[in-house]
């Protein structure tokens, strides 16, 4: 059986790649994808913990199902807002979304 | 579990659903006003039910997901009162701006249902779900003015940072779950007492991740970057909602999480909150000094107020927590009142502070309200802001951190400048400011300029907040008792 640590390291790497994507990417869609990567790291963590905890604790699996569903809803709203912004501004590059500045 | 305990939530939820259907039935634009009244009626009904439950002292912990107690009742009443005021403010504000009014009221009410559950949540799962139910409608609400690029940009910035914050928070929760094998707050507390923090430093990191999410929700420095942009871009009633209700709910959930789940780690998180509170107070106040847009300025001032409230978590005894709850009540009412004035006198303008020049000549009521609210935010004696700050600073001194209270007081003194600056324009001569200011002030557009005929519902919202402010100023004792009752009701190991 693969040790729990491997799963945790994998998810930590996935999380860090997501953070890098959020910080380095300029395209809004790519940022959303990066956030989705981070969400997947969370889900792997939850499921891994749930499988390795004493007596197959089901709470983690349940939690990850909720997280997936809510994440999908969030991405839906995010895409709608980005689409509307594109209609008004003709760009989804975050460097050009700068009306509100001091 | 008895369903009777979540009747207030059910009432608000059903009202939101009914509004969606009503929106389909009512075809004429004139009848759409009814939607706002329906929302208002639902909120008032829910408040009545909560007051009844508070009087009966109903308490129960159930399903391992929600705890219904006096603490929850008090916070939910604060939440619903501010929501009621926001709805009152919105009816006339959005008359022309948005086409689908049903969506607006329905989203506000869904968001409030999320907040009410968040206040009661005592499990990571129910907490996370209610947090998202709160946030997702708020993202849409800040971009509700679909044809305004600023409103959209506000929504975009709020959404991107909000999603990031919730994912980071969730990542922290997974580690807490993994180490304690529990998702409900009491179970976590039981397990945390037996874990040694030096052997499991990752617990500390997980805790910091969770607090980062919270700090984003309540807008504490260094997670406040969305605040000025979102406050400025969102339509003013939405800003007033953003500035109060989610913060009250976020603080309430934070109080429950800290005093119950993380109570064994109090030594660690107290230090974190000292740092957060000093940063928020100082950055909020200093940056607010240089703002020329009143909504941005109020955004930074709210960051500073969050800093004051966070001082209570640096002490985290019963007195400090009840002072924080009392401060939240005052903060909510005063902030909604201020934004209500801005919404009623600055429609269709770009919200520069100069725009308020000569307000005292145009509308004595509005200028009086601004004066009361601004003085209350500073915390000068006869106002509720004073009672709030007095209680808070007294509890900090009582907790043995006099130096922290001194930093808070120095910050309050800094804040005098930018609050009084607003009054300088409101009560000053029309001629105040130089030529440049005058040019900056746009000629009033006759259609948008409602200065001489502020709609009566907006007037009502201002008057209600003003009345509540004056009531708390003259009779603070019952409200302090209310906050104390809420703090006592928490089932925490910290002050049993």
């Amino acid at each position: 059986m693969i040790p729990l640590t491997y799963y945790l390291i994998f998810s930590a790497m996935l999380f860090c790649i997501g953070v890098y994507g959020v910080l380095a990417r300029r395209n809004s869609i790519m940022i959303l994808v990066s956030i989705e990567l981070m969400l997947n790291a969370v889900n792997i963590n939850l499921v891994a913990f749930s499988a390795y905890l004493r007596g197959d604790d089901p709470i983690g699996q349940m939690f990850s199902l909720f997280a997936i569903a809510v994440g999908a809803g969030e991405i839906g709203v995010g895409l709608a807002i980005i689409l509307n912004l594109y209609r008004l501004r003709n760009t989804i590059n975050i460097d050009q979304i700068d009306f509100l500045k001091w | 579990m008895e369903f009777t305990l979540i009747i207030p939530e059910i009432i608000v939820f059903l009202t939101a659903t009914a509004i969606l259907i009503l929106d389909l039935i009512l075809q004429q634009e004139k009848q759409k006003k009814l939607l706002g009244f329906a929302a208002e009626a639902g909120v008032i009904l829910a408040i009545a039910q909560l007051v009844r439950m508070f009087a009966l002292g109903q308490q129960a912990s159930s399903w391992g997901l929600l705890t219904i107690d006096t603490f929850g009742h008090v916070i939910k009443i604060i939440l619903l009162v501010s929501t009621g005021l926001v709805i009152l403010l919105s009816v006339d504000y959005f008359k022309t701006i948005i086409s689908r009014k049903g969506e607006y009221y329905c989203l506000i009410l869904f968001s409030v249902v999320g907040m009410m559950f968040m206040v009661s949540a005592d499990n990571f799962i129910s907490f996370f779900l209610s947090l998202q139910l709160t946030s997702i409608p708020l993202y849409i609400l800040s971009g509700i003015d679909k044809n305004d690029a600023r409103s959209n940009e506000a929504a975009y910035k709020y959404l991107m940072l909000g999603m990031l914050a919730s994912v980071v928070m969730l990542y922290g929760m997974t580690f807490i779950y993994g180490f304690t094998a529990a998702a409900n707050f009491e179970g976590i507390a039981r397990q945390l007492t037996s874990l040694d923090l030096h052997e499991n430093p990752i617990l500390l990191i997980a805790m910091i991740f969770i607090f980062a999410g919270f700090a984003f929700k309540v807008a504490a420095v260094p997670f406040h970057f969305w605040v000025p942009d979102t406050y400025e871009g969102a339509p003013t009633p939405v800003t007033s909602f953003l500035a109060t209700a989610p913060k009250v709910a976020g603080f309430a959930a934070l109080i429950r999480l800290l005093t119950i789940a993380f109570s064994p780690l109090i030594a660690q998180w107290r230090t974190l909150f000292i740092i957060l509170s000093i940063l928020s107070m100082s950055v909020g106040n200093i940056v607010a000094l240089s703002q020329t847009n009143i909504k941005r300025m109020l955004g930074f001032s709210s960051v500073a107020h969050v800093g004051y409230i966070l001082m209570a978590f640096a002490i985290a005894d019963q007195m400090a927590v009840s002072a924080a709850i009392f401060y939240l009540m005052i903060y909510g009412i005063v902030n909604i009142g201020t934004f209500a004035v801005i919404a009623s006198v600055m429609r269709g303008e770009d919200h520069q502070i100069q725009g308020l020049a000569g307000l005292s000549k145009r509308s004595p009521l509005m200028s009086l309200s601004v004066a009361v609210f601004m003085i209350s935010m500073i915390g000068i004696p006869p106002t509720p802001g004073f009672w709030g700050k007095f209680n808070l600073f007294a509890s900090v001194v009582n907790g043995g951190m006099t130096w922290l209270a001194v930093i808070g007081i120095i910050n309050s003194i800094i804040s005098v400048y930018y609050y009084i600056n607003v009054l300088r324009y409101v009560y000053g001569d029309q001629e105040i400011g130089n030529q440049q200011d005058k040019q900056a002030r746009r000629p009033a557009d006759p259609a948008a300029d409602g200065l001489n005929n502020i709609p009566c519902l907006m007037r009502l919202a201002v008057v209600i907040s003003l009345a509540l402010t004056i009531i708390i100023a003259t009779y603070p004792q019952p409200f302090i008792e209310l906050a104390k009752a809420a703090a006592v009701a928490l089932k925490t190991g910290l002050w049993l």
Side-chain angles (χ1 to χ4, degrees):
Chain A
M1 198 164 165
I2 308 170
L4 175 63
T5 333
Y6 285 34
Y7 288 104
L8 296 186
I9 291 172
F10 172 61
S11 83
M13 277 163 60
L14 210 56
F15 193 80
C16 292
I17 294 170
V19 172
Y20 172 77
V22 170
L23 296 176
R25 289 287 184 166
R26 301 286 87 176
N27 184 313
S28 302
I29 303 288
M30 291 312 287
I31 295 176
L32 275 191
V33 172
S34 306
I35 292 177
E36 197 70 345
L37 263 188
M38 292 163 75
L39 199 62
N40 285 338
V42 167
N43 289 330
I44 290 171
N45 249 2
L46 281 173
V47 175
F49 275 131
S50 142
Y52 280 83
L53 280 174
R54 218 175 325 110
D56 276 351
D57 191 57
I59 293 174
Q61 295 181 27
M62 205 173 86
F63 201 163
S64 78
L65 282 179
F66 279 122
I68 292 168
V70 170
E74 229 177 1
I75 293 285
V77 170
L79 284 176
I81 288 175
I82 292 173
L83 193 66
N84 200 26
L85 200 65
Y86 181 73
R87 285 206 187 115
L88 292 171
R89 303 284 300 274
N90 254 324
T91 177
I92 51 169
N93 186 323
I94 58 164
D95 288 332
Q96 284 165 311
I97 303 173
D98 56 358
F99 268 10
L100 301 165
K101 245 199 214 164
W102 53 325
Chain B
M1 175 67 180
E2 291 193 34
F3 279 99
T4 50
L5 291 171
I6 53 168
I7 283 182
E9 282 89 344
I10 294 176
I11 292 173
V12 178
F13 179 79
L14 287 183
T15 316
T17 329
I19 283 171
L20 271 186
I21 298 165
L22 210 60
D23 192 27
L24 288 177
I25 298 170
L26 300 176
Q27 294 294 340
Q28 286 168 354
E29 200 55 33
K30 262 193 165 175
Q31 296 171 322
K32 298 277 186 189
K33 241 186 173 177
L34 270 179
L35 298 174
F37 296 134
E40 195 65 56
V43 168
I44 290 171
L45 208 60
I47 294 177
Q49 173 65 15
L50 274 171
V51 170
R52 204 181 128 250
M53 286 167 74
F54 175 77
L56 293 175
Q58 285 183 330
Q59 304 216 0
S61 168
S62 39
W63 292 333
L65 289 172
L66 299 172
T67 300
I68 310 292
D69 55 7
T70 308
F71 172 75
H73 296 329
V74 172
I75 299 285
K76 283 175 199 170
I77 292 172
I78 306 176
L79 280 176
L80 285 173
V81 168
S82 44
T83 312
L85 288 172
V86 171
I87 291 172
L88 216 51
L89 192 60
S90 314
V91 175
D92 284 315
Y93 189 90
F94 286 119
K95 211 186 277 172
T96 50
I97 294 177
I98 47 172
S99 51
R100 295 199 184 86
K101 294 177 182 61
E103 283 173 12
Y104 174 79
Y105 297 115
C106 160
L107 284 171
I108 274 208
L109 292 181
F110 278 142
S111 183
V112 171
V113 173
M115 290 173 204
M116 290 165 82
F117 277 123
M118 191 158 102
V119 171
S120 297
D122 70 346
N123 185 309
F124 273 158
I125 298 179
S126 57
F127 168 71
F128 175 70
L129 283 180
S130 47
L131 178 75
Q132 295 301 59
L133 180 57
T134 309
S135 310
I136 295 177
L138 286 178
Y139 303 146
I140 310 173
L141 279 174
S142 41
I144 195 90
D145 193 354
K146 270 200 293 191
N147 300 317
D148 179 12
R150 283 167 169 270
S151 175
N152 260 286
E153 193 176 318
Y156 173 83
K157 286 179 172 164
Y158 189 27
L159 170 100
M160 284 298 185
L161 292 171
M163 280 175 74
L164 195 62
S166 61
V167 170
V168 167
M169 188 186 220
L170 201 54
Y171 194 62
M173 284 181 190
T174 61
F175 281 106
I176 299 284
Y177 162 69
F179 276 86
T180 60
N184 63 320
F185 289 178
E186 276 167 28
I188 289 169
R190 261 199 307 280
Q191 293 294 321
L192 281 181
T193 33
S194 57
L195 281 172
D196 185 15
L197 205 61
H198 293 289
E199 285 170 25
N200 304 301
I202 198 142
L203 276 179
L204 195 64
I205 298 170
M207 202 167 70
I208 292 174
F209 274 26
I210 294 177
F211 293 159
F214 268 109
F216 171 85
K217 280 292 156 218
V218 301
V221 176
F223 306 97
H224 67 292
F225 293 103
W226 60 277
V227 171
D229 290 345
T230 306
Y231 279 30
E232 185 190 342
T236 312
V238 176
T239 311
S240 71
F241 189 60
L242 275 177
T244 50
K247 280 189 195 181
V248 174
F251 271 119
L254 187 59
I255 289 172
R256 208 186 275 282
L257 182 78
L258 288 177
T259 56
I260 296 175
F262 289 156
S263 53
L265 303 178
I266 182 165
Q268 278 77 24
W269 53 256
R270 275 174 78 169
T271 328
L272 286 175
F273 281 105
I274 293 175
I275 299 167
L276 272 184
S277 106
I278 294 177
L279 276 177
S280 305
M281 282 191 279
S282 314
V283 173
N285 275 321
I286 290 168
V287 182
L289 291 176
S290 62
Q291 299 302 319
T292 54
N293 182 308
I294 191 158
K295 278 162 85 179
R296 279 183 101 80
M297 188 210 87
L298 285 170
F300 281 110
S301 104
S302 81
V303 171
H305 284 289
V306 166
Y308 302 137
I309 298 169
L310 284 174
M311 280 198 302
F313 296 100
I315 305 298
D317 59 5
Q318 192 180 316
M319 189 180 167
V321 168
S322 68
I325 297 169
F326 181 56
Y327 199 93
L328 279 174
M329 284 180 200
I330 293 160
Y331 167 85
I333 290 161
V334 170
N335 247 287
I336 293 223
T338 316
F339 279 112
V341 173
I342 295 172
S344 38
V345 301
M346 293 178 107
R347 273 166 298 155
E349 283 182 56
D350 54 359
H351 301 107
Q352 294 297 314
I353 300 182
Q354 287 97 327
L356 285 173
L359 182 65
S360 62
K361 294 205 180 88
R362 285 176 291 175
S363 171
L365 171 70
M366 290 296 158
S367 48
L368 174 73
S369 322
V370 176
V372 171
F373 295 142
M374 287 297 142
I375 291 172
S376 177
M377 283 207 202
I378 300 170
I380 289 174
T383 56
F386 167 73
W387 296 114
K389 275 191 180 153
F390 178 76
N391 264 355
L392 203 57
F393 292 148
S395 74
V396 174
V397 172
N398 193 45
M401 284 198 201
T402 316
W403 60 273
L404 190 61
V406 170
I407 295 180
I409 291 166
I410 292 173
N411 266 296
S412 305
I413 295 169
I414 296 175
S415 73
V416 173
Y417 173 78
Y418 58 84
Y419 290 130
I420 292 292
N421 192 30
V422 174
L423 295 187
R424 193 170 68 101
Y425 281 108
V426 171
Y427 277 99
D429 236 315
Q430 283 274 28
E431 304 306 317
I432 207 166
N434 48 26
Q435 211 58 31
Q436 227 179 350
D437 288 350
K438 269 196 204 159
Q439 277 167 358
R441 217 183 308 146
R442 271 200 261 143
D445 161 14
D449 188 15
L451 295 173
N452 297 320
N453 53 335
I454 296 161
C456 63
L457 285 178
M458 282 189 174
R459 219 178 261 269
L460 187 62
V462 175
V463 168
I464 291 176
S465 348
L466 187 65
L468 283 172
T469 314
I470 292 170
I471 289 172
I472 299 182
T474 32
Y475 301 106
Q477 208 52 40
F479 296 91
I480 295 175
E481 293 297 330
L482 205 63
K484 208 169 275 172
V488 171
L490 279 171
K491 283 201 198 80
T492 161
L494 290 180
W495 55 71
L496 271 183

